[in-house]
Amino acid sequence: MRKGPCVPMMALCLLLMGCGAGEESGAEALLRPYREMAGCAMTAEVRLSREDGTVGDFTLRCEYDPEGVTTVEVLAPETAAGVTAELDGEALSLRYQDLCLGAGTVSGEKLSPMECLPELMAALREGWLLAESREEVEGEPCLRLELDRTGREGGKIVSTLYLREGDGVPVYGEIAAEGEVLLKAAFTDFTFGENCDTIDGNTD
């Protein structure tokens, strides 16, 4: 007697499961262009802050190439303007007037402020999604994504990015290592490379 009702109930369960199959979540939809991109360019106001009170503010321009050499140029402050970093995925170096210098770093993960924007892009490309929520940043509806990635030294780097809901453009990001937020970025401009025109990236 009990076996009869089970058939339609099972059919209903399968139907409900089928309805959700293949549907893309909000986070997946916004992450997909980043994970498929050939590159991107961006400008951001980056702040370094540490528990010991050290603070540094920079305006950085980044040409991100996930498969090649990424370049980051300091636009401000004036005392550092013109300094350029090159990141090839394994090492970071600073170039200024044909001189190559080691890049200063913070935390055990040896993160540099010059690595802030490339690290945020790497998190969007390959980071493990820990959490997502909807929040506003200066009146802009955004999807907040918390992403986990293993650093070069084997430690845990957690990047939090706020992507504008309408087009997925990054508005703001933070990087934490060893439980401390070290780097913050407020994006002022963003565009994908010519092969990835999925997003109209100007945040103006």
Side-chain angles (χ1 to χ4, degrees):
M1 295 294 293
R2 295 182 181 178
K3 291 182 180 180
C6 291
V7 176
M9 183 61 70
M10 288 175 64
L12 178 60
C13 290
L14 290 172
L15 179 61
L16 292 174
M17 289 173 64
C19 290
E23 291 184 0
E24 195 172 44
S25 72
E28 290 171 340
L30 293 186
L31 283 173
R32 178 168 43 80
Y34 292 95
R35 296 188 168 176
E36 296 176 353
M37 70 177 173
C40 59
M42 71 210 83
T43 304
E45 307 292 334
V46 174
R47 166 163 285 195
L48 160 70
S49 59
R50 300 174 62 175
E51 288 184 348
D52 64 6
T54 302
V55 176
D57 291 308
F58 309 88
T59 302
L60 302 179
R61 178 68 179 170
C62 175
E63 300 282 342
Y64 178 72
D65 184 345
E67 304 299 333
V69 176
T70 291
T71 61
V72 183
E73 181 184 0
V74 179
L75 304 181
E78 186 176 345
T79 53
V83 173
T84 301
E86 294 183 350
L87 179 65
D88 64 5
E90 298 295 332
L92 175 73
S93 62
L94 298 182
R95 294 187 179 276
Y96 181 64
Q97 294 180 345
D98 297 326
L99 296 177
C100 182
L101 307 172
T105 58
V106 293
S107 89
E109 270 307 316
K110 299 183 180 178
L111 286 169
S112 164
M114 301 290 274
E115 289 181 276
C116 179
L117 300 180
E119 179 61 37
L120 289 173
M121 293 302 103
L124 289 172
R125 274 180 57 80
E126 57 193 50
W128 181 264
L129 183 62
L130 299 176
E132 64 176 287
S133 59
R134 283 179 166 78
E135 298 184 22
E136 285 195 358
V137 178
E138 297 183 354
E140 290 274 14
C142 294
L143 192 63
R144 176 187 180 275
L145 304 179
E146 190 174 320
L147 300 140
D148 177 16
R149 210 170 83 90
T150 301
R152 289 196 301 270
E153 303 300 314
K156 182 176 182 179
I157 298 176
V158 177
S159 296
T160 302
L161 285 115
Y162 295 76
L163 304 183
R164 196 163 61 196
E165 283 195 5
D167 54 15
V169 167
V171 175
Y172 179 77
E174 293 182 347
I175 296 176
E178 301 164 7
E180 178 185 356
V181 175
L182 299 170
L183 297 164
K184 303 176 182 180
F187 291 83
T188 57
D189 179 73
F190 182 91
T191 54
F192 277 123
E194 58 184 50
N195 295 327
C196 300
D197 55 358
T198 312
I199 291 177
D200 177 9
N202 197 323
T203 60
D204 294 338

